[in-house]
């Protein structure tokens, strides 16, 4: 195992540090540490699942789109298991909520966010793998696009409702726009 990891390249993109610096201006330091710890735990579970499945990991990139691992992952079942490993790890952080409430809250939100059925999030990767097993490629892609567009429209409408009717400010609307941008960028991952 150590020999396979010796070739692993880890890159942290400069925009990650810019985002971190901006976050420190508006978010308390304790929450930033909790979020980074929960993110690391989440990604470790992806990493662990990839290693258990026998997949090699060539590169890990950390940037604005989160963490992207370049692997040789093959097969829809492996894809589903490796995609679900991260949210499971995040969910496990809820169990320590009594002792580390910030970490548990960050783990819960990372789990919920990553299970949204929009590619390239983990939930979208699971949906994509399941669709490929039941439908032909064109039909699978059509169903996936319909589901993603429906979910994105729902989040946009909820964001608009939260902004105009509930007066919750721009954060729900910004969240919907970020989801739309993330989906359109189509973060191409090793997990694909």
């Amino acid at each position: 195992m150590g020999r396979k990891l010796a070739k692993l390249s880890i890159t942290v993109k400069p925009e990650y540090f810019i985002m971190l610096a901006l976050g420190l201006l508006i978010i308390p330091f304790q929450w930033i540490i909790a979020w980074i710890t929960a993110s690391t735990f989440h990604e470790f579970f992806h990493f662990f699942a990839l290693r258990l499945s026998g997949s090699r990991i060539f590169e890990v990139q950390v940037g604005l789109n989160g963490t992207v691992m370049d692997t040789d992952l093959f097969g829809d079942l492996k894809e589903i298991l490796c995609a679900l490993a991260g949210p499971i790890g995040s969910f496990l952080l809820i169990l320590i909520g009594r002792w580390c409430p910030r970490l548990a809250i960050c783990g819960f939100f990372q789990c919920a966010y990553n299970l949204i059925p929009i590619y390239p999030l983990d939930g979208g990767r699971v949906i994509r793998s399941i669709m490929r097993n039941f439908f032909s490629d064109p039909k699978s892609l059509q169903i996936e696009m319909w589901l993603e567009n429906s979910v994105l429209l729902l989040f946009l409408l909820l964001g608009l409702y939260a902004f105009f009717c509930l007066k919750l400010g721009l954060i729900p609307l910004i969240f919907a726009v970020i989801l739309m941008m993330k989906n359109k960028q189509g973060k191409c991952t090793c997990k694909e």
Side-chain angles (χ1 to χ4, degrees):
M1 181 174 158
R3 202 158 134 191
K4 290 181 180 180
L5 292 180
K7 297 178 182 177
L8 178 65
S9 168
I10 300 174
T11 307
V12 181
K13 295 183 176 180
E15 62 263 16
Y16 179 77
F17 294 109
I18 294 169
M19 180 183 70
L20 188 60
L22 290 173
L24 285 169
L25 292 174
I26 56 175
I27 300 170
F29 182 72
Q30 298 89 340
W31 283 101
I32 295 284
I33 296 300
W35 190 262
I36 290 172
T37 304
S39 296
T40 303
F41 199 74
H42 176 97
E43 294 305 329
F44 174 76
F45 267 73
H46 281 307
F47 181 86
F48 188 65
L50 286 164
R51 299 299 300 140
L52 281 178
S53 72
S55 298
R56 290 182 297 168
I57 302 167
F58 304 109
E59 183 179 15
V60 177
Q61 290 184 6
V62 181
L64 288 180
N65 283 336
T67 302
V68 179
M69 293 184 214
D70 181 21
T71 73
D72 63 354
L73 182 64
F74 295 108
D76 289 329
L77 181 59
K78 280 186 179 180
E79 173 76 18
I80 291 169
L81 294 174
C82 291
L84 290 176
I88 288 169
S90 294
F91 183 78
L92 289 175
L93 290 174
I94 296 170
L95 300 176
I96 62 169
R98 183 176 188 186
W99 302 280
C100 304
R102 285 187 186 97
L103 193 57
I105 290 168
C106 291
F108 170 78
F109 280 106
Q110 284 183 2
C111 177
Y113 172 75
N114 277 284
L115 287 177
I116 296 172
I118 296 172
Y119 189 81
L121 299 176
D122 296 329
R125 291 177 30 228
V126 169
I127 294 294
R128 178 174 280 186
S129 296
I130 291 171
M131 290 295 140
R132 280 192 243 158
N133 282 317
F134 291 103
F135 301 102
S136 64
D137 284 344
K139 186 68 171 175
S140 171
L141 187 60
Q142 185 180 24
I143 293 169
E144 182 187 337
M145 294 297 287
W146 178 85
L147 178 64
E148 285 182 354
N149 289 333
S150 298
V151 170
L152 288 170
L153 179 62
L154 175 66
F155 274 102
L156 181 62
L157 292 174
L158 286 172
L160 289 169
Y161 178 75
F163 178 72
F164 289 110
C165 300
L166 300 178
K167 309 288 187 217
L168 293 178
L170 283 174
I171 290 179
L173 194 55
I174 290 171
F175 177 74
V177 170
I178 288 172
L179 274 180
M180 294 172 114
M181 288 172 36
K182 190 172 193 78
N183 178 256
K184 297 309 170 206
Q185 285 175 351
K187 174 173 96 173
C188 191
T189 69
C190 60
K191 303 167 189 171
E192 182 175 13

